[in-house]
Amino acid sequence: MDLDPANGEGALRKFAGRRATLQALSLYYRNRKSPAEAAGRAIEALRLDTSERIDNPGLARIVAEQSPFRIPELLQLAHIQADPRYAATLLSALDGLIRAAPSQPEAVKQAAGKLEPLIQSRDFETGAAEKITARTRIRGNETTTSSTKETLLESLDLARRTAEPALRASAEEFFRARAINYSLLNPSSPPIDPNLPLERAIEEARKRQPAYQQLGELWRYLQGKPRSAEATKPIILAMSAWAETTTDPRSDPAWFFQSLLNLDGRLGPPGKGWKLPGELRPMVFLAAAKAGQQLDRQAEPLMELSLAMEKEKIAVPDTLASTRNRIALGSLRRRLESRYDFALSGPDGVRVNLHSFRGKAVLLNFWAVWCAPCRAEMPMLERLGKEFGADLEILAITDDPPETLKAFLANNPISLRVLMDQPRAAFEHYNVTGIPQSFLIDPDGLIREHFPAVAPEVTLRAAIAASINSKPAASPQ
């Protein structure tokens, strides 16, 4: 599909509307080398989000094409994330600054300077559900914080220190040396007894305060013990009915349903020995989509949910128009992605283009020298590279400074093709905010899989084989 800027955009707006459409349009104009149009759509999408918690600042990245690590987006969204209810979100964003400091020290220092007065001016205790404290021991010096504000300010200080020349490779050291503690300001009652009848469990859940946490109590009750599909179904129906009456976005029923599906292997339920019966997955998918549509949640999590529904061939009813439209938008986005190209150089100075590997599967692996999980993943990727041979190209993309990378490779040779993305253009395009992450691209240039963390070798092998053997897709019109 190729949009006409005058007519096609209007048709797409009527077709899907709101954030997901604007996100797709931003990508479209970006690929058409129209940055002003792309930025306009991204800004418009952000304005629709200003009353909500924003966990994924990816919508804003096109506004700052030169951004090294979402830093302009972080500053733009900080006034929302600096809400006492969402201090943990802001802490995660500040961790991003710490990780960015070795490669973008000046940008991090400027961002920290702008964020400090914002944090100093906010009350992170009143209205908060939890207090965040930290104990950090670095090179013999131990510090402790006693409040959420102190913890946030310490993170800013760590970002500044990591940006200093003498400590630029120490981000990993800081994270290893720091222990974060989350304590409830108003401790909740004990978990609901999983052996109670459902009616009694609902009564108990309704007694819990604050009210927006009540659905979560029922969610924990569900996972309190292994249950058959027959026993699980009425609990999910009760949660769905409860979600229909929820108006407080802090309750976020879509998250609870989506976590039961465990789509990326990281968000899964905490219940030991509990697993969602396979025959109930369609039911939970639809409950998650309905809850997300009802509260008009963030575009990106719902887009991921919609793509998973398409992959698992979940039948979507007409009443979930937003989900049906997101599936169509996902198809559009994948076609647009096939046009994206980059040209990056390796430590040897050889420059390669992504499009030069058309006709074979490509695994983009984003990593860094300082990242321990990334280094641990490398031997597995090397084995897969040898196993699939000429049918697979693995590109290990890092934003490490050239001298840091070369020193590492001198002592730790890697058989993969290593590419340097010091401006972080590829990182930004794929919205890589944490590593390691991998994207599997099929021989036609379409993204087939996204692995947001280290994937099991058997899973990665199966996905690569399926991509290599996939039928050629139709060319974008």
Side-chain angles (χ1 to χ4, degrees):
M1 179 178 180
D2 194 5
L3 301 180
D4 175 77
N7 302 316
E9 179 176 330
L12 187 58
R13 280 176 181 267
K14 292 178 182 178
F15 173 64
R18 305 211 76 182
R19 287 185 275 275
T21 304
L22 293 164
Q23 190 175 16
L25 287 170
S26 293
L27 178 60
Y28 166 74
Y29 283 118
R30 184 184 194 186
N31 286 341
R32 288 288 296 271
K33 307 300 182 185
S34 301
E37 294 285 356
R41 300 309 175 275
I43 291 171
E44 189 177 349
L46 280 170
R47 287 172 178 165
L48 289 173
D49 268 327
T50 53
S51 64
E52 298 285 350
R53 174 183 179 183
I54 298 178
D55 286 322
N56 183 358
L59 283 177
R61 74 179 188 272
I62 301 171
V63 182
E65 285 293 311
Q66 305 306 314
S67 168
F69 192 89
R70 302 188 302 128
I71 291 175
E73 294 93 328
L74 170 63
L75 295 176
Q76 186 172 2
L77 301 174
H79 70 284
I80 299 166
Q81 294 181 328
D83 183 305
R85 296 172 298 174
Y86 308 135
T89 304
L90 179 57
L91 182 63
S92 297
L94 296 179
D95 286 348
L97 280 184
I98 296 173
R99 295 189 187 283
S103 59
Q104 301 293 336
E106 295 306 316
V108 167
K109 289 179 184 178
Q110 293 176 15
K114 293 179 181 179
L115 286 173
E116 183 171 7
L118 173 71
I119 295 173
Q120 290 280 19
S121 67
R122 297 298 173 95
D123 174 9
F124 288 96
E125 309 298 333
T126 304
E130 60 188 3
K131 178 171 70 173
I132 307 174
T133 57
R135 185 180 77 251
T136 308
R137 183 177 180 84
I138 300 176
R139 300 179 185 181
N141 297 318
E142 181 171 310
T143 61
T144 59
T145 62
S146 59
S147 69
T148 299
K149 180 179 289 189
E150 285 184 15
T151 304
L152 294 171
L153 291 173
E154 182 190 57
S155 291
L156 273 183
D157 182 60
L158 289 176
R160 289 193 180 99
R161 292 169 63 186
T162 315
E164 294 301 325
L167 297 175
R168 281 186 188 167
S170 303
E172 185 180 1
E173 177 187 359
F174 285 138
F175 286 114
R176 287 200 308 267
R178 185 174 59 166
I180 300 292
N181 179 59
Y182 298 86
S183 56
L184 294 176
L185 293 176
N186 299 299
S188 60
S189 305
I192 298 172
D193 184 351
N195 296 306
L196 285 177
L198 177 57
E199 294 75 11
R200 285 281 312 282
I202 292 175
E203 291 177 7
E204 288 297 316
R206 292 195 183 280
K207 296 177 184 178
R208 305 299 169 91
Q209 295 297 325
Y212 70 82
Q213 295 181 358
Q214 293 171 354
L215 182 60
E217 294 297 330
L218 199 58
W219 176 77
R220 293 180 183 88
Y221 162 79
L222 167 63
Q223 301 160 72
K225 66 176 185 179
R227 302 178 191 271
S228 65
E230 183 180 2
T232 300
K233 184 174 181 178
I235 303 175
I236 293 176
L237 288 173
M239 291 177 62
S240 299
W242 198 314
E244 290 182 6
T245 64
T246 299
T247 57
D248 190 331
R250 289 177 293 176
S251 179
D252 204 355
W255 183 90
F256 289 116
F257 289 122
Q258 195 160 339
S259 74
L260 297 177
L261 296 165
N262 195 16
L263 297 178
D264 65 3
R266 299 184 305 171
L267 188 64
K272 294 182 179 179
W274 190 93
K275 184 177 181 181
L276 178 67
E279 58 265 43
L280 296 183
R281 286 183 70 81
M283 175 186 182
V284 176
F285 264 115
L286 295 178
K290 185 175 182 180
Q293 181 171 294
Q294 178 181 335
L295 288 179
D296 196 20
R297 301 299 290 151
Q298 301 95 330
E300 192 64 26
L302 291 182
M303 184 68 80
E304 292 174 2
L305 177 68
S306 300
L307 293 177
M309 293 177 75
E310 181 183 25
K311 184 177 180 180
E312 297 194 24
K313 296 180 171 57
I314 306 297
V316 182
D318 292 339
T319 53
L320 293 178
S322 177
T323 300
R324 294 169 68 95
N325 293 338
R326 281 188 170 91
I327 290 175
L329 282 169
S331 177
L332 168 63
R333 290 177 66 185
R334 289 195 297 275
R335 288 180 179 275
L336 292 173
E337 282 288 353
S338 70
R339 301 180 182 180
Y340 174 68
D341 192 18
F342 60 67
L344 299 175
S345 298
D348 56 2
V350 176
R351 197 167 182 82
V352 299
N353 293 78
L354 176 60
H355 280 192
S356 66
F357 301 110
R358 283 292 170 85
K360 63 168 63 177
V362 178
L363 185 70
L364 304 181
N365 176 253
F366 291 89
W367 71 293
V369 165
W370 53 263
C371 170
C374 302
R375 298 195 303 268
E377 185 183 35
M378 285 297 172
M380 175 184 71
L381 297 180
E382 290 182 300
R383 285 195 299 272
L384 292 173
K386 293 177 181 177
E387 178 180 334
F388 288 99
D391 292 326
L392 174 68
E393 188 72 34
I394 300 179
L395 305 180
I397 303 175
T398 178
D399 63 346
D400 286 310
E403 59 276 10
T404 301
L405 177 62
K406 291 177 180 178
F408 173 80
L409 293 177
N411 296 315
N412 304 273
I414 297 174
S415 62
L416 306 176
R417 189 188 297 269
V418 178
L419 299 177
M420 300 182 296
D421 185 23
Q422 189 65 21
R424 295 186 59 87
F427 274 77
E428 284 297 310
H429 178 82
Y430 292 102
N431 198 27
V432 175
T433 59
I435 52 176
Q437 284 195 53
S438 297
F439 296 83
L440 180 60
I441 301 174
D442 72 11
D444 295 307
L446 300 177
I447 295 177
R448 291 294 181 183
E449 298 284 352
H450 171 215
F451 302 98
V454 177
E457 186 168 352
V458 63
T459 301
L460 200 51
R461 178 180 289 106
I464 292 170
S467 178
I468 291 173
N469 297 324
S470 63
K471 295 180 180 179
S475 300
Q477 297 299 313

